[in-house]
Structure formats: C-alpha cells, structure tokens
Amino acid sequence: MKLAGRRLTEFALVRFAEDGDWFAECPVVLDFDGVQVEVCHSKFDEVAIGWDTIDTEASITGWESSELTPRWSHRDERLEPLVDQELREVVLLECGRQSPIVTWPPAR
C-alpha cells in the first residue's frame, strides 16, 4: 500500500468529553484518501501502526465505571492545518538504539 502522494483527508483522536483533553494513550487515526492509518503508543519507545480497523464513528465502550467519558474528536489545532496536504514520504525512525534509520517503502 502506497501512502506517499495521498492527501490527508481527515483525522480522529480521543478527547475526554468533560474537559476536552486529548487522551494520548488512544490511537490517532489518519485518513489518506480512503486509506486509514492508526498510530498508537503507550510507551516512549514503542509504537503500533494499523490499517482500517477502527470505526471512529462508534462510541468508545468500557469506560462506564470511570468519571471520564472518552469520545472521538475530529478537531485538533495541530492536525487541522495538515488536512488536504499531500504526504510526500513515510519515514520510520528508531531512536535511542544503535540501529539504522528505516524508510518505508524500502529503496530499490
């Protein structure tokens, strides 16, 4: 799947309904012309990337006993300026270890 050359058409992230704070432990979902990329990290040096598995229109469940209510949000001042911009390249960097920089797709 090629992402370079696609435009960011929409995004979603999780915010708490009570105060609007971003819940950084949930995925950030980026849609590039119909290809949905889901990025999630829970530790400084680990990241998970998935494709087309999250429904950002669905309610987030499992929080019924919490005082906070997480909801998908399609608004963010950091991401909004990037909507309709073309993705030029995808580069995965590994920090803190003595390993090479990984670029995807690999050079041929």
Side-chain angles (χ1 to χ4, degrees), residues 1-4 51 89-92 102-107:
M1 163 188 348
K2 183 178 178 184
L3 288 176
W51 286 265
E89 68 178 333
V90 177
V91 178
L92 300 176
V102 178
T103 302
W104 188 261

Side-chain angles (χ1 to χ4, degrees), residues 17-72:
E18 291 75 14
D19 57 14
D21 284 349
W22 171 42
F23 185 40
E25 291 183 21
C26 284
V28 173
V29 178
L30 306 168
D31 188 289
F32 294 97
D33 289 325
V35 176
Q36 184 172 288
V37 179
E38 304 144 356
V39 182
C40 188
H41 72 89
S42 59
K43 296 182 181 178
F44 176 74
D45 62 347
E46 294 179 5
V47 65
I49 301 173
W51 286 265
D52 298 317
T53 62
I54 298 173
D55 180 0
T56 61
E57 299 303 318
S59 297
I60 299 171
T61 60
W63 285 74
E64 292 76 17
S65 63
S66 175
E67 294 179 11
L68 298 173
T69 308
R71 292 196 177 133
W72 286 106

